[in-house]
Amino acid sequence: MSEIDALKPAADIGGPCQPLLTVEGLSKHFALNASLFGKASVVRAVDDVSFSVAKGEVLGIVGESGCGKSTTARLIIGLMPSDAGKILFDGEPVGPVLSLSELRQRVQMVFQDSYASLNPRLTIEDTIAFGPKVHGVAPPQARARAHDLLRKVGLDPALFADRYPHELSGGQRQRINIARALALAPRLVILDEAVSALDKSVEAQVLNLLIDLKEEFGLTYLFISHDLNVVRFISDRVIVMYLGEIVESGPVEALWTDARHPYTRALLAAMPSLDPDNRTQEAPISGDPPNPIDPPPGCRFHTRCAHAEAICSARAPRLMATGGERHLAACFMVDPGSGHSKAVAPKVKETVNG
Amino acid sequence: MSVLADDLIDLAATRKSRGYWGNVGRRLLRDPVSMICAAILLLIALAAVFAPYLGLADPYLGSMIRRLRPIGTAGYPLGTDELGRDMLTRLVHGGRLSLLIGLLPVVFAFFIGTTLGIIAGYLGGVVNQLIMRTVDVFYAFPSVLLAIAISGALGGGLLNSLLSLTIVFIPPIVRVAESVTTGVRSLDFVDAARASGAGALTIMRVHILGNVLGPIFVYATSLISVCMILAAGLSFLGLGTKPPEPEWGLMLNTLRTAIYVNPWVAALPGVMIFTVSICFNLLSDGMRSAMDVRN
């Protein structure tokens, strides 16, 4: 594999215990100046979000549309500047130590719209070889790498290298997008609704491909989706976002069996069941999320929460340990000292996954 | 990793891909109107280019006793002008200057305007404001007036009228290029290119240019006819070509006095301008629909 020598995955720095990606207090506020004299209103798309991704892990991010999932992804890869917060990649802060262009070799992204994320005027080969060429790989080597990656994502280079995006199916295009993301030998791949637009059989194939590639290249995934089944299938750990904030996070099984935040429970209850005896008769949460320009005071979910009490609109709950391993929730009901009538003490030594 | 659903498409995929421009060319070839217009334009252009070798009469040689002969006179198939010069010769020779003055400003404006428009559209912010507001200043004047004003200020002559027409056509092309670029810039593949660490110049060259060139090119083609008419107007006012050079606009001007004596001959240069401009317009319409992938 001498032709790929020019682009190797960045060397590991902190060892297996150091998170590959750490996000601290990440915020993005979009200013909307409605009129010349009116007060500029602000959309808090991402508000003080902190989390970390362990090496080799698949971290899922779920939430309704508009909750800030995609904005978080774009902030991490530097497609838009953040207003506040720090991003550390393998312990190195992005900006002072790790430059944006170095980060962009280590982190790559696969977008939802498989058609819009491919240049309609470039052949598949040129699309995949573009990144390596930008990073100084000679064109013949970049082409060889493109062919190699096409094989890796299950497409025959002889058939596909010279073709254009509009000649391919959605599943094939998304395989191209995955190959393009892998072309720079990244360590972290952000999959922003990467399989959401595919039909179910193709979605399953692409998910299996992602799992195979993760094993082969030792990748870490940040998997953003609104499809809870898919997230459960592929993720090790899940973050639930609501209106720009993290409301709950934890290992996927703990979240599914013992969700502590009412919003997470509502999301899980909203999943359609395949069992005809287990029909959902009514929507567990009604209405749309509140306007993010003017989010409700206190807990942002209290306007739709069945358990809301006075305290919920007075103060904002913080992410707290729930007792389960690495399981956090931002709800007064897990905080015994909060004064919420349904607050319970965290269960000590719960055997999750047991 | 066998892909069942995709395998069917794989079977169809064995034919060699033609590429985007190959498909556009194929669709254009199937459009009879575009092909007729292209043939007429090609004929006029070839006649103009090879005018000295076609064995026509001398375009400058007049004859005082054979002035304003009607169409169909023996030896003068399209009659003679007010100085007794052969109209057919002058119309063919006139095509050289008229086509040049109709095409060159648009070509120059296309290169300059596309560059500025892509830069403004891709970079946005202050650069966009700077370029687009400057362009707006030129928009304050009607294009005919602007061309006459610049030509008038620079003085007559072919070069100055080329320059003034170029300046007139830069702003509309910048506008179109900027709006198309703004649309393309928001697509995911531009974000993907940025995420792979490419600089602004590389992205504009590799990813933006190919996707915006089509619409801008179609628009610029439609400007050729406008440019020819404006150039004819400048010549008519005495700001462009100088007599005795054969040029359609100028010929229209000098034959104007003969409109009551021999209206059919006097109208001939106008017919040429009309034919060429309508052919360019129809051809650009044909290209617009040929480039529409949804067809």
Side-chain angles (χ1 to χ4, degrees), chain B residues 10-283:
Chain B
D10 288 356
L11 288 175
T14 41
R15 64 169 174 77
K16 182 75 185 158
S17 164
R18 238 177 256 265
Y20 173 75
W21 290 108
N23 283 325
V24 170
R26 207 157 37 102
R27 278 197 289 267
L28 206 59
L29 281 173
R30 282 209 216 105
D31 178 16
V33 176
S34 298
M35 281 301 101
I36 290 168
C37 289
I40 293 172
L41 287 175
L42 194 69
L43 194 73
I44 293 174
L46 285 177
V49 169
F50 296 107
Y53 312 106
L54 293 179
L56 295 164
D58 184 346
Y60 302 106
L61 183 71
S63 164
M64 277 302 142
I65 54 166
R66 294 195 188 90
R67 291 164 58 200
L68 292 170
R69 291 290 161 92
I71 295 170
T73 310
Y76 301 101
L78 290 179
T80 59
D81 71 357
E82 77 286 355
L83 294 175
R85 295 172 293 198
D86 180 35
M87 275 304 281
L88 177 66
T89 314
R90 286 185 65 82
L91 284 176
V92 171
H93 276 84
R96 313 185 94 189
L97 267 180
S98 288
L99 287 176
L100 196 74
I101 212 171
L103 276 170
L104 276 187
V106 176
V107 172
F108 290 145
F110 176 71
F111 282 114
I112 300 168
T114 304
T115 312
L116 287 174
I118 289 179
I119 291 171
Y122 183 73
L123 295 180
V126 182
V127 180
N128 181 296
Q129 290 293 321
L130 203 72
I131 293 176
M132 296 318 288
R133 294 301 80 80
T134 311
V135 161
D136 283 348
V137 173
F138 286 92
Y139 258 96
F141 307 97
S143 56
V144 186
L145 223 60
L146 188 62
I148 293 170
I150 300 169
S151 264
L154 294 171
L158 184 65
L159 219 61
N160 285 342
S161 63
L162 282 178
L163 188 65
S164 70
L165 288 170
T166 306
I167 295 172
V168 165
F169 288 118
I170 290 174
I173 292 180
V174 172
R175 271 258 172 109
V176 171
E178 191 255 359
S179 76
V180 181
T181 307
T182 312
V184 171
R185 189 181 88 122
S186 62
L187 293 174
D188 281 345
F189 69 81
V190 177
D191 276 342
R194 285 173 62 208
S196 61
L201 211 62
T202 314
I203 294 176
M204 283 192 257
R205 188 170 51 81
V206 178
H207 292 283
I208 303 279
L209 193 63
N211 286 288
V212 299
L213 219 49
I216 305 171
F217 186 70
V218 169
Y219 179 69
T221 315
S222 74
L223 287 179
I224 292 173
S225 57
V226 181
C227 186
M228 288 199 55
I229 291 162
L230 277 184
L234 286 180
S235 299
F236 183 87
L237 292 172
L239 287 168
T241 337
K242 292 268 184 287
E245 288 301 321
E247 197 270 328
W248 295 337
L250 187 65
M251 287 161 72
L252 200 61
N253 182 19
T254 51
L255 278 167
R256 166 177 58 113
T257 48
I259 194 101
Y260 296 113
V261 184
N262 203 337
W264 292 111
V265 171
L268 280 175
V271 170
M272 292 307 293
I273 296 171
F274 171 78
T275 310
V276 171
S277 51
I278 201 135
C279 282
F280 270 119
N281 263 344
L282 290 174
L283 192 60

Side-chain angles (χ1 to χ4, degrees), chain A residues 56 58 208-221:
Chain A
V58 180
N208 284 328
L209 171 71
L210 286 171
I211 292 171
D212 292 343
L213 292 170
K214 177 177 178 292
E215 292 304 314
E216 183 169 356
F217 295 105
L219 299 169
T220 302
Y221 288 153

Side-chain angles (χ1 to χ4, degrees), chain A:
Chain A
M1 293 262 170
S2 60
E3 73 267 20
I4 306 169
D5 278 355
L7 274 179
K8 275 196 206 124
D12 190 60
I13 300 170
C17 288
Q18 173 150 282
L20 185 62
L21 180 79
T22 306
V23 172
E24 282 173 20
L26 196 65
S27 295
K28 180 70 188 177
H29 300 169
F30 294 106
L32 304 168
N33 15 11
S35 70
L36 193 58
F37 300 107
K39 207 180 74 179
S41 47
V42 168
V43 177
R44 293 160 178 265
V46 175
D47 205 8
D48 195 18
V49 164
S50 303
F51 63 89
S52 61
V53 191
K55 284 165 186 164
E57 153 177 81
V58 180
L59 178 68
I61 300 184
V62 294
E64 285 167 289
S65 49
C67 73
K69 305 177 300 238
S70 293
T71 308
T72 307
R74 280 161 192 268
L75 290 174
I76 291 169
I77 203 166
L79 284 177
M80 52 173 79
S82 60
D83 293 324
K86 269 198 301 192
I87 296 167
L88 288 92
F89 190 86
D90 205 0
E92 294 180 311
V94 176
V97 177
L98 195 69
S99 75
L100 198 57
S101 75
E102 285 174 308
L103 175 81
R104 282 173 173 170
Q105 199 225 308
R106 291 162 170 74
V107 183
Q108 280 290 294
M109 185 159 165
V110 178
F111 298 83
Q112 170 174 15
D113 188 338
S114 67
Y115 190 64
S117 52
L118 291 173
N119 186 341
R121 300 281 187 279
L122 288 189
T123 59
I124 300 315
E125 178 184 86
D126 288 338
T127 289
I128 302 174
F130 176 74
K133 278 191 220 163
V134 164
H135 284 266
V137 177
Q141 275 84 342
R143 243 191 330 272
R145 182 162 177 76
H147 284 234
D148 194 43
L149 282 162
L150 273 174
R151 268 188 291 274
K152 291 269 195 285
V153 297
L155 298 174
D156 182 1
L159 279 178
F160 288 94
D162 293 330
R163 303 183 69 78
Y164 288 84
H166 70 266
E167 300 170 309
L168 307 182
S169 71
Q172 290 169 333
R173 282 200 295 264
Q174 206 56 302
R175 285 164 188 267
I176 306 296
N177 279 317
I178 292 166
R180 185 246 313 268
L182 296 179
L184 290 177
R187 296 183 64 196
L188 175 69
V189 179
I190 301 172
L191 300 150
D192 185 6
E193 303 271 13
V195 296
S196 306
L198 306 175
D199 51 49
K200 280 295 159 193
S201 60
V202 179
E203 182 180 49
Q205 291 159 2
V206 173
L207 283 173
N208 284 328
L209 171 71
L210 286 171
I211 292 171
D212 292 343
L213 292 170
K214 177 177 178 292
E215 292 304 314
E216 183 169 356
F217 295 105
L219 299 169
T220 302
Y221 288 153
L222 188 61
F223 192 90
I224 296 168
S225 181
H226 64 269
D227 187 334
L228 295 163
N229 282 317
V230 169
V231 168
R232 183 182 193 180
F233 172 73
I234 201 165
S235 305
D236 301 312
R237 212 155 56 82
V238 176
I239 285 174
V240 182
M241 283 185 77
Y242 184 75
L243 278 184
E245 291 181 333
I246 296 176
V247 294
E248 187 159 6
S249 74
V252 65
E253 283 314 314
L255 229 68
W256 253 257
T257 54
D258 187 29
R260 306 305 295 269
H261 198 284
Y263 179 64
T264 315
R265 285 198 288 241
L267 276 186
L268 293 171
M271 277 166 64
S273 170
L274 285 178
D275 180 2
D277 295 330
N278 189 12
R279 286 263 167 80
T280 311
Q281 295 298 329
E282 53 194 302
I285 22 175
S286 53
D288 294 323
N291 189 350
I293 296 171
D294 189 18
C299 173
R300 289 186 182 180
F301 186 60
H302 82 259
T303 50
R304 299 162 85 189
C305 181
H307 311 285
E309 294 184 1
I311 174 127
C312 298
S313 50
R315 284 198 290 129
R318 303 171 64 87
L319 270 179
M320 291 187 65
T322 62
E325 194 190 353
R326 300 180 77 193
H327 187 173
L328 308 172
C331 178
F332 288 120
M333 289 193 289
V334 300
D335 180 3
S338 66
H340 194 288
S341 66
K342 289 175 188 160
V344 289
K347 287 176 255 174
V348 183
K349 274 287 160 209
E350 190 184 11
T351 49
V352 183
N353 302 332

